[in-house]
Amino acid sequence: MDSIQHLLYDYLISSNLSETTSKYLNMLALFIGLVIITAIVDFITRKLLLNTFTVFAYRSKSKFDNILVSNKVPRNIAHIIPLIIALKLIPTVFVDFPNFENIIEKGLQVYAIILTLWIVRRLFNSIKDYLKTLPRFKDKPIDSYIQVFMIFAWIIGIFSIFAVITGISFWKFATTLGAASAIII
């Protein structure tokens, strides 16, 4: 891995460029490579997962998997693999720039939380749409229940985002917030 991290760097140093310029150009080249790799993996994963799930959904007798496809659940799930690849390769790309690595890593972690919330929302919408097709749930307030679940999911997601940004553990952040609100009240 070390040879990949400094492949361009060693070439630029041998071409009589300064060390700082070589580090920045090396980081830029690795970052562009990472963006291209994750874009290709995202495209392939999305097409593969979406096509496979669509074929499976239309061959099965259940309506729920068709609703999952129409609510784009597999499409959002397909973004998980490129995200994991990006999170694993960020230390390689920003090996000489730990501050950039920390910022990008936190940004990707926040994106992971938001992606999880999108998947949960789409999944809950699919459940809601499926339950509305069943006769015994037609007169039930399913929308209200889903909204309550989503409010809790968003609260947990926002707490998680603040915990990632501040670097405090989720539970410590939640207990500190609870203690602060008790003092205020």
Side-chain angles (χ1 to χ4, degrees), residues 66-104:
N66 294 346
I67 293 171
L68 285 173
V69 170
S70 66
N71 279 320
K72 300 178 182 176
V73 174
R75 181 179 181 184
N76 284 331
I77 290 174
H79 296 304
I80 293 173
I81 294 173
L83 178 65
I84 291 170
I85 290 172
L87 280 169
K88 292 292 183 188
L89 292 179
I90 284 297
T92 303
V93 172
F94 295 103
V95 66
D96 295 322
F97 301 96
N99 292 335
F100 286 160
E101 176 187 347
N102 189 24
I103 292 169
I104 300 294

mmCIF file of all heavy atoms in Angstrom, residues 66-104:
data_model
loop_
_atom_site.group_PDB
_atom_site.id
_atom_site.type_symbol
_atom_site.label_atom_id
_atom_site.label_comp_id
_atom_site.label_asym_id
_atom_site.label_seq_id
_atom_site.Cartn_x
_atom_site.Cartn_y
_atom_site.Cartn_z
ATOM 1 N N ASN A 66 -42.192 -5.522 -4.795
ATOM 2 C CA ASN A 66 -42.473 -4.553 -5.859
ATOM 3 C C ASN A 66 -42.557 -3.138 -5.287
ATOM 4 O O ASN A 66 -42.094 -2.173 -5.914
ATOM 5 C CB ASN A 66 -43.786 -4.892 -6.566
ATOM 6 C CG ASN A 66 -43.728 -6.189 -7.332
ATOM 7 O OD1 ASN A 66 -42.649 -6.729 -7.567
ATOM 8 N ND2 ASN A 66 -44.875 -6.704 -7.714
ATOM 9 N N ILE A 67 -43.142 -3.031 -4.101
ATOM 10 C CA ILE A 67 -43.240 -1.725 -3.443
ATOM 11 C C ILE A 67 -41.850 -1.228 -3.038
ATOM 12 O O ILE A 67 -41.547 -0.034 -3.148
ATOM 13 C CB ILE A 67 -44.202 -1.807 -2.239
ATOM 14 C CG1 ILE A 67 -45.629 -2.054 -2.734
ATOM 15 C CG2 ILE A 67 -44.143 -0.555 -1.389
ATOM 16 C CD1 ILE A 67 -46.632 -2.359 -1.655
ATOM 17 N N LEU A 68 -40.994 -2.144 -2.591
ATOM 18 C CA LEU A 68 -39.613 -1.758 -2.262
ATOM 19 C C LEU A 68 -38.895 -1.181 -3.478
ATOM 20 O O LEU A 68 -38.191 -0.175 -3.374
ATOM 21 C CB LEU A 68 -38.836 -2.961 -1.727
ATOM 22 C CG LEU A 68 -39.131 -3.417 -0.306
ATOM 23 C CD1 LEU A 68 -38.405 -4.718 -0.001
ATOM 24 C CD2 LEU A 68 -38.749 -2.357 0.695
ATOM 25 N N VAL A 69 -39.090 -1.807 -4.631
ATOM 26 C CA VAL A 69 -38.458 -1.318 -5.858
ATOM 27 C C VAL A 69 -39.040 0.049 -6.242
ATOM 28 O O VAL A 69 -38.297 0.962 -6.609
ATOM 29 C CB VAL A 69 -38.628 -2.332 -7.011
ATOM 30 C CG1 VAL A 69 -38.185 -1.736 -8.335
ATOM 31 C CG2 VAL A 69 -37.840 -3.591 -6.712
ATOM 32 N N SER A 70 -40.356 0.196 -6.147
ATOM 33 C CA SER A 70 -40.969 1.472 -6.537
ATOM 34 C C SER A 70 -40.592 2.604 -5.576
ATOM 35 O O SER A 70 -40.569 3.770 -5.976
ATOM 36 C CB SER A 70 -42.492 1.343 -6.628
ATOM 37 O OG SER A 70 -43.046 1.090 -5.361
ATOM 38 N N ASN A 71 -40.281 2.264 -4.323
ATOM 39 C CA ASN A 71 -39.839 3.276 -3.360
ATOM 40 C C ASN A 71 -38.321 3.455 -3.351
ATOM 41 O O ASN A 71 -37.784 4.131 -2.484
ATOM 42 C CB ASN A 71 -40.332 2.929 -1.955
ATOM 43 C CG ASN A 71 -41.759 3.339 -1.735
ATOM 44 O OD1 ASN A 71 -42.187 4.402 -2.160
ATOM 45 N ND2 ASN A 71 -42.529 2.483 -1.077
ATOM 46 N N LYS A 72 -37.623 2.817 -4.268
ATOM 47 C CA LYS A 72 -36.180 2.968 -4.495
ATOM 48 C C LYS A 72 -35.316 2.537 -3.302
ATOM 49 O O LYS A 72 -34.256 3.095 -3.066
ATOM 50 C CB LYS A 72 -35.851 4.396 -4.896
ATOM 51 C CG LYS A 72 -36.542 4.844 -6.157
ATOM 52 C CD LYS A 72 -36.227 6.277 -6.486
ATOM 53 C CE LYS A 72 -36.995 6.704 -7.735
ATOM 54 N NZ LYS A 72 -36.807 8.105 -8.037
ATOM 55 N N VAL A 73 -35.758 1.538 -2.568
ATOM 56 C CA VAL A 73 -34.955 1.031 -1.453
ATOM 57 C C VAL A 73 -33.656 0.400 -1.956
ATOM 58 O O VAL A 73 -32.579 0.718 -1.433
ATOM 59 C CB VAL A 73 -35.779 0.050 -0.583
ATOM 60 C CG1 VAL A 73 -34.908 -0.588 0.480
ATOM 61 C CG2 VAL A 73 -36.958 0.768 0.057
ATOM 62 N N PRO A 74 -33.696 -0.495 -2.984
ATOM 63 C CA PRO A 74 -32.424 -1.090 -3.448
ATOM 64 C C PRO A 74 -31.445 -0.049 -3.990
ATOM 65 O O PRO A 74 -30.227 -0.199 -3.833
ATOM 66 C CB PRO A 74 -32.851 -2.047 -4.559
ATOM 67 C CG PRO A 74 -34.288 -2.301 -4.337
ATOM 68 C CD PRO A 74 -34.838 -1.085 -3.673
ATOM 69 N N ARG A 75 -31.958 0.994 -4.591
ATOM 70 C CA ARG A 75 -31.087 2.038 -5.139
ATOM 71 C C ARG A 75 -30.296 2.719 -4.021
ATOM 72 O O ARG A 75 -29.105 2.992 -4.170
ATOM 73 C CB ARG A 75 -31.930 3.063 -5.899
ATOM 74 C CG ARG A 75 -31.109 4.149 -6.495
ATOM 75 C CD ARG A 75 -31.972 5.113 -7.245
ATOM 76 N NE ARG A 75 -31.138 6.142 -7.833
ATOM 77 C CZ ARG A 75 -31.591 7.170 -8.482
ATOM 78 N NH1 ARG A 75 -32.880 7.316 -8.657
ATOM 79 N NH2 ARG A 75 -30.773 8.058 -8.972
ATOM 80 N N ASN A 76 -30.968 3.014 -2.911
ATOM 81 C CA ASN A 76 -30.262 3.643 -1.791
ATOM 82 C C ASN A 76 -29.326 2.669 -1.090
ATOM 83 O O ASN A 76 -28.255 3.063 -0.630
ATOM 84 C CB ASN A 76 -31.266 4.219 -0.790
ATOM 85 C CG ASN A 76 -31.883 5.509 -1.287
ATOM 86 O OD1 ASN A 76 -31.258 6.249 -2.032
ATOM 87 N ND2 ASN A 76 -33.102 5.777 -0.890
ATOM 88 N N ILE A 77 -29.709 1.411 -1.010
ATOM 89 C CA ILE A 77 -28.847 0.410 -0.381
ATOM 90 C C ILE A 77 -27.561 0.226 -1.199
ATOM 91 O O ILE A 77 -26.495 -0.032 -0.641
ATOM 92 C CB ILE A 77 -29.611 -0.919 -0.208
ATOM 93 C CG1 ILE A 77 -30.680 -0.750 0.871
ATOM 94 C CG2 ILE A 77 -28.677 -2.064 0.150
ATOM 95 C CD1 ILE A 77 -31.596 -1.939 1.031
ATOM 96 N N ALA A 78 -27.656 0.402 -2.494
ATOM 97 C CA ALA A 78 -26.485 0.227 -3.365
ATOM 98 C C ALA A 78 -25.387 1.242 -3.073
ATOM 99 O O ALA A 78 -24.221 1.000 -3.407
ATOM 100 C CB ALA A 78 -26.912 0.332 -4.825
ATOM 101 N N HIS A 79 -25.712 2.354 -2.443
ATOM 102 C CA HIS A 79 -24.696 3.365 -2.136
ATOM 103 C C HIS A 79 -23.819 2.984 -0.948
ATOM 104 O O HIS A 79 -22.813 3.648 -0.681
ATOM 105 C CB HIS A 79 -25.359 4.721 -1.856
ATOM 106 C CG HIS A 79 -26.074 5.307 -3.022
ATOM 107 N ND1 HIS A 79 -25.465 5.539 -4.235
ATOM 108 C CD2 HIS A 79 -27.362 5.692 -3.173
ATOM 109 C CE1 HIS A 79 -26.334 6.060 -5.065
ATOM 110 N NE2 HIS A 79 -27.503 6.150 -4.453
ATOM 111 N N ILE A 80 -24.169 1.920 -0.249
ATOM 112 C CA ILE A 80 -23.408 1.528 0.942
ATOM 113 C C ILE A 80 -22.012 1.022 0.566
ATOM 114 O O ILE A 80 -21.021 1.392 1.212
ATOM 115 C CB ILE A 80 -24.180 0.454 1.749
ATOM 116 C CG1 ILE A 80 -25.456 1.074 2.328
ATOM 117 C CG2 ILE A 80 -23.318 -0.130 2.850
ATOM 118 C CD1 ILE A 80 -26.374 0.073 2.992
ATOM 119 N N ILE A 81 -21.906 0.198 -0.458
ATOM 120 C CA ILE A 81 -20.612 -0.388 -0.833
ATOM 121 C C ILE A 81 -19.603 0.685 -1.259
ATOM 122 O O ILE A 81 -18.464 0.683 -0.769
ATOM 123 C CB ILE A 81 -20.797 -1.477 -1.908
ATOM 124 C CG1 ILE A 81 -21.566 -2.650 -1.297
ATOM 125 C CG2 ILE A 81 -19.458 -1.938 -2.469
ATOM 126 C CD1 ILE A 81 -21.964 -3.718 -2.266
ATOM 127 N N PRO A 82 -19.961 1.639 -2.141
ATOM 128 C CA PRO A 82 -18.983 2.697 -2.465
ATOM 129 C C PRO A 82 -18.600 3.537 -1.248
ATOM 130 O O PRO A 82 -17.454 3.966 -1.134
ATOM 131 C CB PRO A 82 -19.700 3.550 -3.504
ATOM 132 C CG PRO A 82 -20.774 2.697 -4.045
ATOM 133 C CD PRO A 82 -21.149 1.743 -2.978
ATOM 134 N N LEU A 83 -19.547 3.735 -0.348
ATOM 135 C CA LEU A 83 -19.248 4.487 0.867
ATOM 136 C C LEU A 83 -18.221 3.752 1.720
ATOM 137 O O LEU A 83 -17.277 4.359 2.230
ATOM 138 C CB LEU A 83 -20.534 4.738 1.662
ATOM 139 C CG LEU A 83 -20.369 5.464 2.984
ATOM 140 C CD1 LEU A 83 -19.875 6.884 2.757
ATOM 141 C CD2 LEU A 83 -21.680 5.475 3.740
ATOM 142 N N ILE A 84 -18.367 2.452 1.860
ATOM 143 C CA ILE A 84 -17.406 1.657 2.637
ATOM 144 C C ILE A 84 -16.031 1.694 1.974
ATOM 145 O O ILE A 84 -15.004 1.841 2.651
ATOM 146 C CB ILE A 84 -17.915 0.210 2.798
ATOM 147 C CG1 ILE A 84 -19.142 0.185 3.708
ATOM 148 C CG2 ILE A 84 -16.821 -0.699 3.350
ATOM 149 C CD1 ILE A 84 -19.859 -1.140 3.754
ATOM 150 N N ILE A 85 -16.006 1.588 0.649
ATOM 151 C CA ILE A 85 -14.727 1.655 -0.074
ATOM 152 C C ILE A 85 -14.062 3.007 0.155
ATOM 153 O O ILE A 85 -12.859 3.086 0.419
ATOM 154 C CB ILE A 85 -14.940 1.381 -1.579
ATOM 155 C CG1 ILE A 85 -15.300 -0.091 -1.780
ATOM 156 C CG2 ILE A 85 -13.708 1.759 -2.390
ATOM 157 C CD1 ILE A 85 -15.722 -0.432 -3.189
ATOM 158 N N ALA A 86 -14.844 4.076 0.064
ATOM 159 C CA ALA A 86 -14.287 5.417 0.281
ATOM 160 C C ALA A 86 -13.750 5.558 1.703
ATOM 161 O O ALA A 86 -12.659 6.105 1.905
ATOM 162 C CB ALA A 86 -15.344 6.474 -0.002
ATOM 163 N N LEU A 87 -14.490 5.072 2.686
ATOM 164 C CA LEU A 87 -14.028 5.161 4.070
ATOM 165 C C LEU A 87 -12.739 4.371 4.290
ATOM 166 O O LEU A 87 -11.868 4.790 5.066
ATOM 167 C CB LEU A 87 -15.115 4.655 5.022
ATOM 168 C CG LEU A 87 -16.229 5.647 5.338
ATOM 169 C CD1 LEU A 87 -17.378 4.956 6.059
ATOM 170 C CD2 LEU A 87 -15.704 6.808 6.165
ATOM 171 N N LYS A 88 -12.598 3.240 3.613
ATOM 172 C CA LYS A 88 -11.390 2.421 3.767
ATOM 173 C C LYS A 88 -10.181 3.051 3.067
ATOM 174 O O LYS A 88 -9.048 2.899 3.527
ATOM 175 C CB LYS A 88 -11.621 1.010 3.210
ATOM 176 C CG LYS A 88 -12.602 0.200 3.997
ATOM 177 C CD LYS A 88 -12.059 -0.141 5.356
ATOM 178 C CE LYS A 88 -13.038 -1.019 6.100
ATOM 179 N NZ LYS A 88 -12.657 -1.235 7.475
ATOM 180 N N LEU A 89 -10.413 3.740 1.946
ATOM 181 C CA LEU A 89 -9.302 4.283 1.165
ATOM 182 C C LEU A 89 -8.903 5.712 1.543
ATOM 183 O O LEU A 89 -7.851 6.180 1.107
ATOM 184 C CB LEU A 89 -9.629 4.212 -0.324
ATOM 185 C CG LEU A 89 -9.706 2.805 -0.917
ATOM 186 C CD1 LEU A 89 -10.058 2.867 -2.393
ATOM 187 C CD2 LEU A 89 -8.408 2.048 -0.703
ATOM 188 N N ILE A 90 -9.710 6.396 2.314
ATOM 189 C CA ILE A 90 -9.387 7.772 2.708
ATOM 190 C C ILE A 90 -8.030 7.868 3.425
ATOM 191 O O ILE A 90 -7.248 8.769 3.126
ATOM 192 C CB ILE A 90 -10.535 8.379 3.555
ATOM 193 C CG1 ILE A 90 -11.707 8.753 2.658
ATOM 194 C CG2 ILE A 90 -10.093 9.584 4.365
ATOM 195 C CD1 ILE A 90 -11.422 9.813 1.627
ATOM 196 N N PRO A 91 -7.693 6.969 4.348
ATOM 197 C CA PRO A 91 -6.358 7.070 4.970
ATOM 198 C C PRO A 91 -5.214 6.930 3.973
ATOM 199 O O PRO A 91 -4.155 7.531 4.151
ATOM 200 C CB PRO A 91 -6.344 5.919 5.990
ATOM 201 C CG PRO A 91 -7.769 5.675 6.302
ATOM 202 C CD PRO A 91 -8.509 5.954 5.025
ATOM 203 N N THR A 92 -5.422 6.156 2.916
ATOM 204 C CA THR A 92 -4.392 6.003 1.888
ATOM 205 C C THR A 92 -4.237 7.294 1.086
ATOM 206 O O THR A 92 -3.121 7.719 0.790
ATOM 207 C CB THR A 92 -4.758 4.846 0.935
ATOM 208 O OG1 THR A 92 -4.918 3.663 1.707
ATOM 209 C CG2 THR A 92 -3.685 4.641 -0.111
ATOM 210 N N VAL A 93 -5.353 7.920 0.746
ATOM 211 C CA VAL A 93 -5.322 9.130 -0.079
ATOM 212 C C VAL A 93 -4.695 10.292 0.686
ATOM 213 O O VAL A 93 -3.877 11.033 0.154
ATOM 214 C CB VAL A 93 -6.751 9.500 -0.551
ATOM 215 C CG1 VAL A 93 -6.769 10.852 -1.231
ATOM 216 C CG2 VAL A 93 -7.292 8.424 -1.472
ATOM 217 N N PHE A 94 -5.063 10.454 1.940
ATOM 218 C CA PHE A 94 -4.610 11.607 2.720
ATOM 219 C C PHE A 94 -3.539 11.218 3.747
ATOM 220 O O PHE A 94 -3.524 11.742 4.856
ATOM 221 C CB PHE A 94 -5.806 12.260 3.418
ATOM 222 C CG PHE A 94 -6.797 12.840 2.468
ATOM 223 C CD1 PHE A 94 -7.983 12.176 2.193
ATOM 224 C CD2 PHE A 94 -6.546 14.035 1.830
ATOM 225 C CE1 PHE A 94 -8.905 12.703 1.308
ATOM 226 C CE2 PHE A 94 -7.457 14.580 0.944
ATOM 227 C CZ PHE A 94 -8.638 13.907 0.685
ATOM 228 N N VAL A 95 -2.637 10.317 3.356
ATOM 229 C CA VAL A 95 -1.608 9.827 4.266
ATOM 230 C C VAL A 95 -0.709 10.959 4.757
ATOM 231 O O VAL A 95 -0.289 10.958 5.914
ATOM 232 C CB VAL A 95 -0.781 8.693 3.610
ATOM 233 C CG1 VAL A 95 0.029 9.202 2.440
ATOM 234 C CG2 VAL A 95 0.085 7.996 4.625
ATOM 235 N N ASP A 96 -0.446 11.946 3.938
ATOM 236 C CA ASP A 96 0.436 13.047 4.315
ATOM 237 C C ASP A 96 -0.316 14.234 4.908
ATOM 238 O O ASP A 96 0.297 15.215 5.308
ATOM 239 C CB ASP A 96 1.233 13.518 3.093
ATOM 240 C CG ASP A 96 2.178 12.449 2.585
ATOM 241 O OD1 ASP A 96 2.759 11.731 3.423
ATOM 242 O OD2 ASP A 96 2.333 12.315 1.350
ATOM 243 N N PHE A 97 -1.657 14.149 4.932
ATOM 244 C CA PHE A 97 -2.478 15.262 5.398
ATOM 245 C C PHE A 97 -3.529 14.756 6.397
ATOM 246 O O PHE A 97 -4.693 14.573 6.050
ATOM 247 C CB PHE A 97 -3.168 15.941 4.207
ATOM 248 C CG PHE A 97 -2.213 16.468 3.184
ATOM 249 C CD1 PHE A 97 -1.893 15.713 2.072
ATOM 250 C CD2 PHE A 97 -1.622 17.702 3.349
ATOM 251 C CE1 PHE A 97 -1.007 16.185 1.122
ATOM 252 C CE2 PHE A 97 -0.728 18.179 2.405
ATOM 253 C CZ PHE A 97 -0.416 17.425 1.292
ATOM 254 N N PRO A 98 -3.133 14.525 7.640
ATOM 255 C CA PRO A 98 -4.075 13.961 8.625
ATOM 256 C C PRO A 98 -5.267 14.878 8.920
ATOM 257 O O PRO A 98 -6.351 14.390 9.230
ATOM 258 C CB PRO A 98 -3.213 13.741 9.868
ATOM 259 C CG PRO A 98 -1.970 14.512 9.658
ATOM 260 C CD PRO A 98 -1.811 14.722 8.185
ATOM 261 N N ASN A 99 -5.082 16.201 8.809
ATOM 262 C CA ASN A 99 -6.212 17.104 9.053
ATOM 263 C C ASN A 99 -7.273 16.947 7.967
ATOM 264 O O ASN A 99 -8.474 16.926 8.264
ATOM 265 C CB ASN A 99 -5.745 18.555 9.132
ATOM 266 C CG ASN A 99 -4.909 18.811 10.366
ATOM 267 O OD1 ASN A 99 -5.032 18.115 11.372
ATOM 268 N ND2 ASN A 99 -4.036 19.791 10.299
ATOM 269 N N PHE A 100 -6.847 16.884 6.703
ATOM 270 C CA PHE A 100 -7.789 16.652 5.613
ATOM 271 C C PHE A 100 -8.474 15.303 5.778
ATOM 272 O O PHE A 100 -9.673 15.175 5.550
ATOM 273 C CB PHE A 100 -7.087 16.693 4.252
ATOM 274 C CG PHE A 100 -6.701 18.058 3.784
ATOM 275 C CD1 PHE A 100 -5.720 18.209 2.812
ATOM 276 C CD2 PHE A 100 -7.305 19.196 4.264
ATOM 277 C CE1 PHE A 100 -5.352 19.455 2.357
ATOM 278 C CE2 PHE A 100 -6.947 20.454 3.818
ATOM 279 C CZ PHE A 100 -5.971 20.585 2.861
ATOM 280 N N GLU A 101 -7.690 14.301 6.160
ATOM 281 C CA GLU A 101 -8.240 12.958 6.351
ATOM 282 C C GLU A 101 -9.347 12.972 7.395
ATOM 283 O O GLU A 101 -10.408 12.381 7.201
ATOM 284 C CB GLU A 101 -7.137 11.990 6.791
ATOM 285 C CG GLU A 101 -7.632 10.598 7.097
ATOM 286 C CD GLU A 101 -6.554 9.704 7.679
ATOM 287 O OE1 GLU A 101 -5.364 10.065 7.630
ATOM 288 O OE2 GLU A 101 -6.925 8.639 8.187
ATOM 289 N N ASN A 102 -9.110 13.672 8.492
ATOM 290 C CA ASN A 102 -10.095 13.745 9.564
ATOM 291 C C ASN A 102 -11.374 14.426 9.086
ATOM 292 O O ASN A 102 -12.482 13.945 9.356
ATOM 293 C CB ASN A 102 -9.500 14.500 10.758
ATOM 294 C CG ASN A 102 -10.367 14.422 11.978
ATOM 295 O OD1 ASN A 102 -11.165 13.510 12.136
ATOM 296 N ND2 ASN A 102 -10.207 15.395 12.857
ATOM 297 N N ILE A 103 -11.252 15.522 8.356
ATOM 298 C CA ILE A 103 -12.423 16.258 7.867
ATOM 299 C C ILE A 103 -13.213 15.412 6.873
ATOM 300 O O ILE A 103 -14.442 15.298 6.970
ATOM 301 C CB ILE A 103 -11.985 17.597 7.233
ATOM 302 C CG1 ILE A 103 -11.451 18.539 8.311
ATOM 303 C CG2 ILE A 103 -13.137 18.246 6.475
ATOM 304 C CD1 ILE A 103 -10.759 19.771 7.773
ATOM 305 N N ILE A 104 -12.528 14.804 5.918
ATOM 306 C CA ILE A 104 -13.198 13.980 4.903
ATOM 307 C C ILE A 104 -13.836 12.753 5.550
ATOM 308 O O ILE A 104 -14.963 12.375 5.213
ATOM 309 C CB ILE A 104 -12.210 13.562 3.796
ATOM 310 C CG1 ILE A 104 -11.628 14.780 3.087
ATOM 311 C CG2 ILE A 104 -12.862 12.624 2.803
ATOM 312 C CD1 ILE A 104 -12.622 15.584 2.287
#
